[in-house]
Each structure stands twice: as structure tokens, then as C-alpha cells.
């Protein structure tokens, strides 16, 4: 199917008689009677096929010459317009073509309306040429198919040139302002959460990146005052509420949700009290040592509330004394000694050893 020889008279009989092992041809079964008839008429059919083959070869040679002549005419036409075709079949402007003089160029600059009118005319001419090309009858030959392919390729390139001219170039995203301040940017439009882990003294960023996205498409950059994450070339930047340690920070992907979790330890801070104020002041460890040394040298005194001292309670100055009965101790019993009548044994005195 699709072979030009299928249009020859006696094509089926010739194939059936030549290929005797063939059972189906062009979707139709070859019957035994058809094969017998084809074998009987084979000498006559073969002569007809050979004659048609010669005529087709001559026709193809004429078609090729006609196509070559048309291509030559198009090349000559392009050379007259100052263009020529390269090795890849494209049209290029001839460098040696005469350029317009300075006066002519000034006139062109001063008359933009005329140039716009010429552009519109060119578009109309191109549209008419395109319509004429598709309405022109063509033979089903390899040359005609190549010509159609070249025409479609030319249209595609012209369309790409127009789209490139109309395409607006987006300005680069500003991440750092002119005064050096980092800005909050969420170009990939991802959900995120930022929490302060006071127990571990760190800031945790949970960025909801796409679950099945490859980790190689994510780039994390932690700075002391902000964190930046590039997701498929789109920046996500967030200013941190406290200064962090970039060298000690770490990032990992959650195995269940695929979220990106960034752990950023905060710079070591000590909360100390400031004299004369009730607000705590944060200082570094070196500064805290000096403040602790100064505070130890100062003497702290307790002050009495002046309201208590201004109105004393006179009623409770003198308190009544309650007489409590004292317990009468029993006198010790003295046992006289038999050996020495002058010796008195006092039970409260421990014996001598």
C-alpha cells in the first residue's frame, strides 16, 4: 500500500503470479482460482508492467528536472533581493549588497509610519503567498513533499522570530535592597513555618517543598540574618528574627511529607538584668562576664516600702504578756553511802570509770 507501482494496470496479477508463497495482498486473501488465472496471464501482464515502469521512470526524471528548475529560480530571485541560501537551506542577507545612503536612512527614521505600512504590506503578501502555495495542485512525489516540508519550516521560523520580538523579558528578582537589607521573597509560592525552639536555642524552618521533587533541585544558603532556598531556580528568602550560626546549621528532608527542614542554631546569648530598668538585656558571653564582675562589686540594699513607714500601726506597739506556768523540777534524791557517811551520791552525776 502506498507504493507508486500499485497504480499500474495488472499490478495485482503480476504480484500474485510472481510471489507464489504469498497468501494475502493488500488486506485481501489470494484465492486459488485467482492465482491460476494470474499464472495464465503472466506473460502479457509482465510486458504491460515493464512498459509502465519505463514510462514512470521518464516521468520521474521530468519531475526532478522541473523541481530543480524551480529551486534555481527561487535562488536567483533571492540573489536579486540581496539574499542567498546557505548549506543548510536557509536564506541569508548578502553582505556585498548595496546599503542605503545616510540621507535615505534619515528619511526612513523620520517616516516611521511609512515603515509600519510596509510591514503590513509584507504581512499581507506573505499571507497571500501562503494561501497560493496551499491551493496550488501538486503531484504526490518526493520532491513535492520536500517542498511542503521546507515551506512549513519557513513558516515556523518566521513565527518564532515574531514571538521572540513580542516576548517580554522579566527583570531579575530583587533579593537584597540597595541599602543591603535582605527582603522576604516567596517566588515558588510554598507554604512554610518558622518557629523558635528555646529548649535547643535554635530556629527551625519547615518549607513544604514538593514531595516527589529530587533533592538535587534544591539549594539552601544560610546567612547570619536570613536563609535562602532555591527551588528549581526560584528563590525563597526569609529574614530571621535572630542571628544564627551558618556553619552549625543543617538541612534535611522529611521522609513522610518530603518537607525541607532547616535547623539554625542561634548565636550564644545570655539574659542579664540592667540596673534601673525592668527589661532584660541580651549580651554575649564576654560582655556578661564584665557585667557580672561589676555587679558583684556593687552593694545591693533592700528598701522598705514608704507607704508602710508613713502610717505605723500604733495599736500593736505594746502587746499583752501572757503568764505561762513554769514546770517545777523535782529535787534530786541523795542516797547516803554506807562506807563513807560524809559522801552523798547524786544520781544526776555520772559515775567515774
Amino acid at each position: 500500500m502506498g507504493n507508486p507501482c500499485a497504480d499500474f494496470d495488472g499490478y495485482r496479477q503480476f504480484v500474485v503470479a510472481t510471489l507464489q508463497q504469498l497468501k494475502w495482498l493488500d488486506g485481501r486473501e489470494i484465492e486459488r482460482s485467482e492465482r491460476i488465472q494470474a499464472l495464465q496471464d503472466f506473460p502479457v501482464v509482465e510486458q504491460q508492467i515493464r512498459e509502465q515502469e519505463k514510462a514512470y521512470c521518464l516521468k520521474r526524471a521530468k519531475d526532478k528536472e522541473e523541481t530543480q528548475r524551480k529551486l534555481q529560480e527561487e535562488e536567483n530571485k533571492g540573489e536579486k533581493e540581496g539574499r542567498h541560501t546557505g548549506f543548510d537551506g536557509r536564506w541569508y542577507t548578502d553582505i556585498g549588497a548595496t546599503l542605503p545612503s545616510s540621507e535615505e536612512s534619515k528619511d526612513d527614521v523620520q517616516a516611521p509610519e511609512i515603515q509600519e505600512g510596509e510591514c503590513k504590506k509584507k504581512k499581507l503578501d506573505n499571507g497571500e503567498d501562503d494561501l497560493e502555495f496551499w491551493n496550488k495542485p501538486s503531484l504526490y512525489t518526493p520532491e513535492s513533499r520536500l517542498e511542503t516540508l521546507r515551506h512549513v519550516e519557513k513558516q515556523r521560523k518566521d513565527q518564532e522570530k515574531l514571538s521572540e520580538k513580542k516576548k517580554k523579558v522579566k527583570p531579575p528578582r530583587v533579593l537584597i535592597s540597595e541599602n543591603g537589607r535582605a527582603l522576604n521573597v516567596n517566588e515558588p509560592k510554598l507554604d512554610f513555618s518558622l518557629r523558635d525552639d528555646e529548649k535547643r536555642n535554635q530556629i527551625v524552618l519547615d518549607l513544604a517543598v514538593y514531595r516527589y521533587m529530587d533533592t538535587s533541585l534544591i539549594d539552601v544558603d544560610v546567612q547570619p540574618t536570613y536563609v535562602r532556598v532555591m527551588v528549581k531556580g526560584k528563590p525563597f528568602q526569609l529574614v530571621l528574627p535572630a542571628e544564627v550560626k551558618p556553619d552549625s546549621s543543617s538541612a534535611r528532608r522529611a521522609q513522610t511529607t518530603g518537607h525541607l527542614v532547616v535547623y539554625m542554631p542561634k548565636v550564644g546569648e545570655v539574659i542579664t538584668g540592667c540596673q534601673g530598668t525592668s527589661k532584660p538585656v541580651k549580651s554575649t558571653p564576654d560582655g556578661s562576664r564584665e557585667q557580672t564582675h561589676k555587679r558583684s562589686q556593687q552593694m545591693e540594699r533592700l528598701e522598705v516600702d514608704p507607704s508602710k513607714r508613713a502610717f505605723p500601726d500604733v495599736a500593736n506597739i505594746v502587746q499583752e504578756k501572757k503568764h505561762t506556768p513554769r514546770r517545777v523540777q523535782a529535787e534530786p534524791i541523795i542516797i547516803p553511802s554506807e562506807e563513807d557517811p560524809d559522801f552523798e551520791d547524786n544520781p544526776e552525776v555520772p559515775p567515774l570509770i
Side-chain angles (χ1 to χ4, degrees):
M1 299 290 287
N3 197 313
C5 67
D7 299 332
F8 294 171
D9 294 336
Y11 142 78
R12 185 177 178 85
Q13 292 86 346
F14 180 82
V15 175
V16 169
T18 306
L19 305 176
Q20 298 184 9
Q21 74 279 11
L22 194 64
K23 296 182 179 180
W24 288 76
L25 178 60
D26 295 341
R28 200 174 74 186
E29 187 179 2
I30 301 173
E31 298 180 357
R32 185 179 178 184
S33 59
E34 183 181 2
R35 191 181 298 278
I36 294 172
Q37 186 69 32
L39 290 172
Q40 291 175 356
D41 300 338
F42 180 72
V44 180
V45 172
E46 183 180 9
Q47 186 178 0
Q48 292 178 357
I49 292 293
R50 298 303 180 190
E51 292 176 358
Q52 295 179 31
E53 182 183 5
K54 291 178 181 179
Y56 179 77
C57 291
L58 294 174
K59 181 183 176 183
R60 287 288 298 121
K62 291 181 180 180
D63 293 341
K64 289 179 180 180
E65 290 178 1
E66 185 69 18
T67 305
Q68 195 69 23
R69 185 180 59 80
K70 289 182 179 179
L71 289 175
Q72 191 67 29
E73 289 179 357
E74 289 180 1
E75 289 179 2
N76 296 335
K77 184 179 179 181
E79 289 177 358
K80 289 180 180 179
E81 294 176 358
R83 299 180 305 168
H84 64 279
T85 54
F87 64 93
D88 53 355
R90 298 182 181 179
W91 291 96
Y92 295 93
T93 304
D94 191 1
I95 300 174
T98 56
L99 296 174
S101 61
S102 59
E103 295 180 357
E104 293 177 355
S105 60
K106 289 180 181 179
D107 295 339
D108 293 340
V109 173
Q110 293 176 358
E113 296 180 356
I114 298 174
Q115 292 180 358
E116 292 179 0
E118 290 179 355
C119 292
K120 290 181 180 179
K121 287 182 179 179
K122 287 182 179 179
K123 289 181 180 179
L124 292 174
D125 293 341
N126 292 334
E128 292 177 357
D129 294 341
D130 184 50
L131 186 63
E132 182 182 357
F133 175 81
W134 291 112
N135 291 333
K136 181 180 64 175
S138 63
L139 300 174
Y140 188 72
T141 59
E143 288 76 17
S144 64
R145 291 193 292 271
L146 288 173
E147 186 181 1
T148 305
L149 183 62
R150 283 193 292 267
H151 183 77
V152 172
E153 186 69 14
K154 182 182 176 182
Q155 284 185 333
R156 185 183 66 81
K157 290 177 181 177
D158 294 342
Q159 192 67 23
E160 286 180 357
K161 290 180 181 179
L162 291 175
S163 61
E164 287 178 359
K165 291 180 181 179
K166 294 180 181 179
K167 189 176 180 181
K168 296 181 180 179
V169 180
K170 289 185 178 181
R173 177 72 66 175
V174 178
L175 301 178
I176 306 296
S177 61
E178 295 179 356
N179 56 1
R181 185 170 59 89
L183 304 177
N184 291 330
V185 178
N186 189 3
E187 189 172 340
K189 299 180 181 180
L190 300 174
D191 296 333
F192 68 94
S193 64
L194 187 69
R195 59 186 179 88
D196 191 353
D197 189 357
E198 297 180 355
K199 186 176 180 180
R200 295 181 176 84
N201 193 29
Q202 64 182 359
I203 297 175
V204 182
L205 172 64
D206 188 349
L207 186 61
V209 298
Y210 310 113
R211 182 173 183 179
Y212 299 105
M213 188 175 66
D214 192 6
T215 310
S216 62
L217 300 174
I218 303 174
D219 185 16
V220 183
D221 181 17
V222 179
Q223 297 295 331
T225 56
Y226 66 91
V227 57
R228 182 185 302 168
V229 182
M230 299 297 291
V231 182
K232 297 176 69 174
K234 296 182 179 180
F236 171 87
Q237 184 170 287
L238 190 64
V239 179
L240 301 176
E243 188 175 353
V244 299
K245 300 178 181 178
D247 298 339
S248 304
S249 302
S250 61
R252 64 186 67 178
R253 293 285 297 274
Q255 296 182 355
T256 55
T257 59
H259 289 192
L260 177 68
V261 185
V262 184
Y263 301 93
M264 297 167 283
K266 293 190 289 186
V267 176
E269 297 175 345
V270 179
I271 301 177
T272 59
C274 183
Q275 187 177 3
T277 59
S278 60
K279 295 183 180 180
V281 178
K282 297 182 180 179
S283 62
T284 58
D286 297 337
S288 63
R289 292 177 185 174
E290 296 178 0
Q291 292 184 3
T292 305
H293 181 64
K294 291 180 181 179
R295 188 175 59 183
S296 61
Q297 291 180 355
Q298 294 177 356
M299 184 181 295
E300 295 182 359
R301 297 181 179 180
L302 297 177
E303 295 182 359
V304 181
D305 190 357
S307 62
K308 298 291 183 180
R309 185 175 57 187
F311 302 97
D313 190 0
V314 183
N316 295 328
I317 292 178
V318 180
Q319 296 181 356
E320 297 181 358
K321 295 183 179 180
K322 296 181 180 180
H323 299 282
T324 57
R326 294 182 179 179
R327 184 178 180 182
V328 180
Q329 298 181 356
E331 296 181 357
I333 301 172
I334 301 173
I335 302 173
S337 176
E338 296 178 358
E339 298 179 359
D340 189 2
D342 297 331
F343 177 76
E344 294 180 358
D345 189 9
N346 191 351
E348 294 182 357
V349 180
L352 298 175
I353 300 175

